[in-house]
């Protein structure tokens, strides 16, 4: 028989639709974690889903209006896409992730001779986009707040960081 605790359960009969598509990923996004965030028009997060290796995604959601945004680690977000999901299947959507630039860091002593260990902090200026996803969608949660976009740890005097194109205040400091 059915356990007493399970007799009161009822099935959720909310009709579902599917949001599916493809993230167009630049070369700078290869090998970096990516996901799509699905929100209600008021900004409430509904769900997130990882991107497949080829950039594809599929999300089952109740009928309604949704905003999709693709996030890739160290890149600006895609342009949001507003979609209405109902009983009619939606066509696969394409969201483009903007390319980031790869910055090669080299920190030298005051004489310009030897490489030295340093921490290099990039603080975005003006309307430079953030490479960090909103905290409610980021599975790793960025460890820097505010306008800090990246920190490169040049332990041997060199490092590499990826950033959206833009204007940054850059500070190199000794110690970690």
């Amino acid at each position: 028989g059915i356990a007493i605790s399970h007799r009161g359960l009822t099935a959720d009969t909310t009709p579902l639709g599917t949001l599916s598509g493809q993230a167009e990923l630049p070369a700078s996004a290869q090998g970096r974690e990516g996901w799509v965030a699905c929100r209600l028009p008021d900004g409430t997060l509904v769900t997130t889903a990882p991107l497949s290796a080829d950039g594809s995604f599929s999300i089952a959601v109740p009928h309604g209006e949704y905003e999709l945004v693709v996030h890739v680690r160290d890149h600006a977000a895609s342009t949001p896409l507003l979609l209405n999901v109902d009983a009619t299947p939606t066509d696969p959507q394409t969201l483009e992730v903007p390319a980031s630039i790869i910055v090669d860091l080299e920190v030298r002593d005051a004489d310009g001779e030897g490489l030295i260990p340093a921490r290099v902090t990039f603080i975005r200026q003006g309307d430079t986009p953030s490479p960090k996803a909103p905290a409610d969608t980021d599975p790793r949660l960025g460890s820097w707040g505010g306008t800090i976009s990246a920190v490169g740890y040049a332990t041997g005097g060199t490092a590499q960081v990826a950033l959206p194109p833009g204007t940054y205040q850059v500070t190199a400091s000794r110690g970690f």
Side-chain angles (χ1 to χ4, degrees), residues 23-30 32 70-79 95-103 127-132 161-168:
E24 286 187 12
L25 302 173
S28 58
Q30 298 308 312
R32 297 184 190 272
V70 173
H71 299 281
V72 174
R73 188 87 46 226
D74 303 322
H75 288 69
S78 69
T79 300
L95 291 105
E96 184 177 350
V97 174
S100 278
I101 56 171
I102 306 300
V103 179
D127 60 354
T128 298
S130 175
K132 306 284 185 210
V161 297
L163 298 161
T167 303
Y168 296 88

Side-chain angles (χ1 to χ4, degrees), residues 36-72:
V36 62
C38 178
R39 294 183 182 277
L40 296 175
D42 68 3
T44 303
L45 181 66
V46 175
T47 190
T48 62
L51 296 177
S52 298
D54 66 357
S56 63
F57 62 88
S58 183
I59 304 171
V61 292
H63 293 177
E65 194 172 42
Y66 298 95
E67 178 186 84
L68 294 180
V69 175
V70 173
H71 299 281
V72 174

Side-chain angles (χ1 to χ4, degrees), residues 148-173:
I148 295 177
S149 293
V151 176
Y153 295 97
T155 56
T158 64
Q160 198 175 64
V161 297
L163 298 161
T167 303
Y168 296 88
Q169 174 187 339
V170 181
T171 304
S173 55

Side-chain angles (χ1 to χ4, degrees), residues 3 18 34 40 58 80 94 98 106 109 118 125 130 156-157 170 174:
T18 301
L40 296 175
S58 183
T94 300
E106 187 175 277
D109 62 21
Q125 306 291 299
S130 175
V170 181
R174 301 262 338 234

